[in-house]
Amino acid sequence: MTQSPRPTPELLAELRKPRPYPVVSVTLPTHRHRPENQQDHIRLRNLLAEASKRLTDDPDVPRAQAVAVHGQLAAAAEGLDPEYFLDGLVVHASHDENATYVLGTDVPERIVVGTAYLTRNLVAAAARERPYLVLILSSGEVRLWRGEGERVAEDRAGGFPVITSAVERDGPPNREGDHGAAQDFLNMLSDADRQLTPLLQGENGLPVILVGLRQHIATFREVSRHGQALAAEVEVGGLLNSTAPELATQLAPARHTLTEADAKDALRALDEARSGRRFAGGVQDLWQAAGEGRVALLVVEEGLRVTARPDTVEGAERATLTLLDEGDAAGTRGAEEDIIDSLVETVLGADGKVVFVPDETLKDAGGAAAALRY
């Protein structure tokens, strides 16, 4: 199966660069299991055929260009195996290249033709697949894993795994009869916490998920000096020797917790911006602020779509928006089916941050809001 690398910030920046028209982006919701994923491939071919027809019918696209892009779309589909589909698929194609991205996040079914690749869904996927650390706690050993979304792998560098010393001590046994095993356990957890320090300092404060029995997790929190980094918990034992797929499944609720925490942080930043008079809400105001490079943080509801035509005002190109009814883009020159895509790309291009939140979260702001730089 042909698949491009995961959407890193560098890749997203490259995809946002303008390219000769036409550039095609196709997104399709997909399924992980049979028989639904077998139908996904048929739906994809039908969607790519529709994209090719649009190019053929477009008077601004020379026939040779349309044929070339069609060939790239066909090559993209040929390299895909539905057995490896997840929750969403993104296909990019121009006259001389194609790329596919299999995502673990939902996407809408759509076709976008323009001068840059659609990256909104990749941005959302990248946010959900941000790196994290996992500590698996047991009575005699602490293991470190690294994760990005559903992908996890054990890390045996940097002093891990940390194993209890189990040093024998003189004197009578304690109430549990373990001759100081409790102290060995505390020493092991403290050692594991020390090994975390350079990892958290060197990688911009990665969140840490703790996995283990409730008492193990509680004790680690008591001895840890990195309480703010301990972002989520999975209270279950017996995972010390788990395979990567088994652990990834167990971590699903914790990953959801991390995503919710990001959304809460973003909403908190909006509240602070509102108090500091650095808040903007609504697509019209956000469009102008983004064009001026003033958006530090853009928060958008996941399902928000706005059809609009960017307009020039007083010599400022694409300075304002004329909002249109959904479906009117095809008959309006210069209109975009979803101006949110361009808004997201403009903010990212000016080194702003974009966070997606559940629908209805920003109802009072029309589905989108921002914290401004000034």
Side-chain angles (χ1 to χ4, degrees), residues 44-369:
L44 174 62
R45 289 187 179 278
N46 291 339
L47 202 59
L48 296 184
E50 181 182 340
S52 295
K53 185 177 185 303
R54 286 196 191 182
L55 297 179
T56 301
D57 295 342
D58 190 335
D60 294 329
V61 179
R63 184 177 183 280
Q65 287 283 83
V67 171
V69 177
H70 173 76
Q72 294 292 342
L73 289 172
E78 190 65 28
L80 288 168
D81 185 344
E83 295 296 334
Y84 294 92
F85 283 175
L86 297 177
D87 302 312
L89 177 68
V90 176
V91 178
H92 288 161
S94 65
H95 74 282
D96 61 353
E97 64 181 0
N98 71 78
T100 59
Y101 303 88
V102 176
L103 307 179
T105 54
D106 295 331
V107 302
E109 181 174 315
R110 61 188 305 205
I111 300 169
V112 178
V113 181
T115 58
Y117 290 123
L118 174 67
T119 60
R120 173 180 178 174
N121 303 111
L122 301 185
V123 171
R128 291 179 181 272
E129 295 186 358
R130 69 186 180 103
Y132 56 89
L133 301 176
V134 181
L135 284 184
I136 301 183
L137 311 175
S138 71
S139 58
E141 189 174 349
V142 178
R143 294 193 178 185
L144 173 70
W145 287 64
R146 291 177 177 271
E148 291 180 355
E150 297 182 11
R151 298 180 295 277
V152 291
E154 186 175 2
D155 187 340
R156 287 181 167 263
F160 286 94
V162 177
I163 301 174
T164 180
S165 60
V167 176
E168 292 187 6
R169 293 176 175 79
D170 294 331
N174 59 21
R175 293 177 61 184
E176 288 77 25
D178 58 8
H179 292 280
Q183 186 60 48
D184 291 335
F185 178 65
L186 289 174
N187 292 341
M188 177 187 69
L189 295 186
S190 295
D191 189 15
D193 189 63
R194 283 191 294 273
Q195 303 298 342
L196 270 184
T197 300
L199 297 178
L200 297 178
Q201 291 177 342
E203 303 190 41
N204 197 25
L206 294 180
V208 179
I209 300 174
L210 298 178
V211 178
L213 298 176
R214 177 178 299 181
Q215 60 268 32
H216 292 168
I217 292 175
T219 305
F220 186 85
R221 285 192 174 275
E222 290 175 1
V223 305
S224 177
R225 295 170 295 173
H226 306 103
Q228 290 186 338
L230 308 181
E233 302 174 356
V234 177
E235 293 184 0
V236 60
L239 297 183
L240 195 63
N241 297 306
S242 297
T243 64
E246 291 170 345
L247 181 59
T249 299
Q250 292 288 342
L251 291 174
R255 292 195 301 271
H256 181 68
T257 297
L258 295 183
T259 300
E260 287 185 327
D262 288 340
K264 290 178 181 179
D265 288 344
L267 296 177
R268 190 177 303 112
L270 290 181
D271 288 338
E272 293 174 357
R274 193 188 298 270
S275 299
R277 298 183 182 276
R278 295 180 293 104
F279 176 89
V283 176
Q284 283 279 15
D285 290 345
L286 293 177
W287 181 258
Q288 182 172 354
E292 296 169 351
R294 295 193 294 127
V295 176
L297 169 67
L298 174 66
V299 185
V300 183
E301 291 182 357
E302 294 174 343
L304 180 64
R305 292 185 63 180
V306 178
T307 302
R309 183 188 69 231
D311 292 322
T312 298
V313 176
E314 297 180 356
E317 186 178 359
R318 295 170 64 88
T320 64
L321 293 177
T322 296
L323 301 182
L324 305 171
D325 292 333
E326 185 176 351
D328 287 351
T332 305
R333 189 172 185 82
E336 299 185 23
E337 294 180 8
D338 188 3
I339 203 68
I340 300 300
D341 298 330
S342 292
L343 178 62
V344 167
E345 291 165 5
T346 299
V347 171
L348 292 173
D351 294 325
K353 181 180 179 182
V354 179
V355 175
F356 291 91
V357 296
D359 292 346
E360 302 297 318
T361 302
L362 299 171
K363 189 174 182 179
D364 293 342

